[in-house]
Amino acid sequence: MHTAHRTHGFTESVIRGMTRLANEHGAINLAQGFPNFPAPDVLKEAAARAIRDDVNQYAITWGTKRLRDALARKYTEWYGMTVDPESEIVVTCGATEAMASALLALVDPGDEVIVFEPFYENYGPDAILCEARPVYVPIAAGRELDLDRLAAAFSARTRAVIVCSPNNPTGRVLARHELEGIAELCRRHDAYAVTDEIYEHIYYEGKHIPIATLDGMRERTVTISGASKTFSVTGWRIGTIVAPQRATDAIRKVHDFLTVGAPAPLQEAVAVGLETLGPDYYATLAREYRARRDVMHAALVRAGFRCEPPQGAYYILADFAALSDLPDDEFARWLTCEAGVAPVPGSSFYSRPELGRTLVRFAFCKTEEQLREAGERLKAVGGGQGR
Ligand code: GLN
């Protein structure tokens, strides 16, 4: 029997698989990054109101006017970008669809896509779906991006570089000079920067700089973000794209045939969130995440993991070599089933599994109470039971 060939290069999502395992074993799920605390009332009420008002049919395929207008204003107010809501925005089913649609629209079979490693597991399969070749460039937590190494990875076939900052899974927030270096290479090689800025409001050091705001980059950047992390609504699946008109035209076609559109009433609610929530909301979001980060980091260090506090996003990639000789996937499974805390195996963030063999990723987008409980459970691991 013939099976479709486009999925040969990838297995099922390790992150989503760990959620299933955590549920089966009643473990605290620090694997898949979704909050366990409520979304802002203003969004929930707006969503309920929209449904009651019968905003229940297809929205315009590339996004409701109200949301596109709100997004254009947001990009101007936060980042000084001028964005035409009529021709430069696409609203998608999450940043995940945004990334897949953007790459499908812009990358041809045989092209190369540069991916910083470790990377969020979707990017590899996204490249494979386009029949492109992912080219991996390492960027370790706490280290400077090696621009010489990045330069050597560019070739005549490079079509795009995927830039995720604040980074999943390392928590790195790229500094201006690093972004300038990436931008210079994109301009020199006529390549796109396709970004994943879903954690744009969750950072603890430095500043979030969209690469689109750097010289000459607006016309060669696809800026991806969404409501999931900013408004704690990962299940709503509202992603956003800002891109120059030519790219937007192509992305809109792919998006239309893949999904027709994102959920109409939820787009209304996200628009209301963008219109209503002010600087206080975003400052509180970052402040509360910093407190959760500190709880999680302290608990991991106490339990014997080696890790640094991340600069942004809500993950800690931790080395467990001092605790166990197991490979990462077995250790993650053991931790889930026996200790009751589910992480993601580190190998899922690397092109070669051996690079992540002593690593697991913990998400700390949970109440401090749940993180403290996870910390208690992890403390028991320190005795070396994971060997
Ligand atoms: N981005 C989140 C993570 O890395 C959620 C992934 C997903 O399943 N969509 O855990």
Side-chain angles (χ1 to χ4, degrees):
M1 175 65 126
H2 178 77
T3 48
H5 67 284
R6 276 177 197 266
T7 57
H8 278 173
F10 52 99
T11 50
E12 74 155 308
S13 155
V14 176
I15 295 177
R16 270 83 79 191
M18 287 308 296
T19 284
R20 283 197 297 279
L21 191 69
N23 291 345
E24 272 168 38
H25 292 270
I28 297 177
N29 185 356
L30 304 186
Q32 194 177 18
F34 62 87
N36 72 334
F37 40 83
D41 281 337
V42 62
L43 271 91
K44 293 195 288 191
E45 277 157 24
R49 196 166 55 240
I51 289 171
R52 272 199 304 272
D53 288 350
D54 264 321
V55 183
N56 290 319
Q57 311 310 327
Y58 305 122
I60 296 172
T61 185
W62 46 79
T64 66
K65 173 144 179 62
R66 183 169 180 184
L67 179 51
R68 283 182 286 115
D69 286 347
L71 285 165
R73 269 197 307 277
K74 165 197 147 163
Y75 276 94
T76 304
E77 280 165 19
W78 279 89
Y79 306 119
M81 286 164 65
T82 308
V83 178
D84 177 3
E86 299 311 321
S87 63
E88 296 185 314
I89 291 180
V90 193
V91 178
T92 57
C93 296
T96 294
E97 192 238 321
M99 181 61 73
S101 289
L103 295 180
L104 283 166
L106 302 177
V107 174
D108 287 321
D111 283 350
E112 292 174 2
V113 175
I114 294 178
V115 177
F116 295 107
E117 183 171 54
F119 53 87
Y120 172 49
E121 64 173 5
N122 279 38
Y123 306 152
D126 284 345
I128 292 169
L129 286 172
C130 305
E131 296 186 31
R133 193 170 82 83
V135 176
Y136 298 100
V137 174
I139 173 163
R143 294 267 189 79
E144 286 274 307
L145 171 60
D146 183 342
L147 286 170
D148 293 332
R149 197 152 178 180
L150 179 61
F154 272 82
S155 80
R157 308 227 59 162
T158 305
R159 182 71 172 146
V161 48
I162 297 178
V163 182
C164 175
S165 176
N167 186 264
N168 174 8
T170 65
R172 269 302 308 278
V173 175
L174 290 172
R176 180 176 287 277
H177 68 275
E178 292 171 305
L179 292 165
E180 293 279 11
I182 300 169
E184 208 279 308
L185 288 163
C186 287
R187 289 189 299 261
R188 195 190 310 162
H189 294 272
D190 192 21
Y192 276 103
V194 181
T195 74
D196 181 347
E197 300 180 32
I198 194 81
Y199 305 97
E200 65 185 305
H201 295 295
I202 302 174
Y203 60 89
Y204 320 106
E205 287 168 39
K207 185 172 181 282
H208 177 64
I209 305 168
I211 199 168
T213 61
L214 303 186
D215 264 1
M217 287 307 287
R218 181 68 173 81
E219 65 257 33
R220 57 176 66 260
T221 301
V222 177
T223 303
I224 293 175
S225 189
S228 296
K229 318 295 188 189
T230 299
F231 297 133
S232 306
V233 288
T234 62
W236 283 18
R237 314 310 300 131
I238 303 290
T240 61
I241 301 177
V242 172
Q245 179 164 3
R246 213 160 26 97
T248 300
D249 286 347
I251 296 167
R252 283 180 174 181
K253 286 183 211 159
V254 176
H255 161 73
D256 187 10
F257 287 113
L258 279 179
T259 70
V260 179
L266 304 183
Q267 292 192 51
E268 283 303 299
V270 171
V272 170
L274 287 168
E275 290 162 4
T276 320
L277 296 169
D280 278 2
Y281 172 78
Y282 298 93
T284 304
L285 181 79
R287 194 180 59 244
E288 291 180 350
Y289 267 117
R290 174 191 289 269
R292 295 180 193 117
R293 174 195 74 163
D294 293 344
V295 170
M296 189 76 235
H297 181 254
L300 289 173
V301 169
R302 201 175 53 222
F305 290 88
R306 204 163 50 78
C307 54
E308 297 296 325
Q311 299 168 304
Y314 53 48
Y315 307 101
I316 297 181
L317 197 57
D319 191 307
F320 62 84
L323 290 170
S324 171
D325 297 327
L326 291 173
D328 63 310
D329 47 351
E330 286 177 38
F331 180 73
R333 175 171 275 276
W334 177 86
L335 207 63
T336 305
C337 304
E338 302 300 326
V341 178
V344 177
S347 56
S348 68
F349 303 101
Y350 290 90
S351 54
R352 287 181 294 129
E354 60 271 24
L355 296 173
R357 274 301 173 223
T358 64
L359 300 173
V360 283
R361 188 198 75 175
F362 294 91
F364 55 84
C365 43
K366 306 294 176 192
T367 56
E368 283 185 48
E369 187 192 356
Q370 189 170 66
L371 294 175
R372 285 186 207 286
E373 170 59 26
E376 286 305 309
R377 295 183 187 190
L378 289 171
K379 218 157 53 178
V381 174
Q385 291 93 328
R387 283 187 188 275

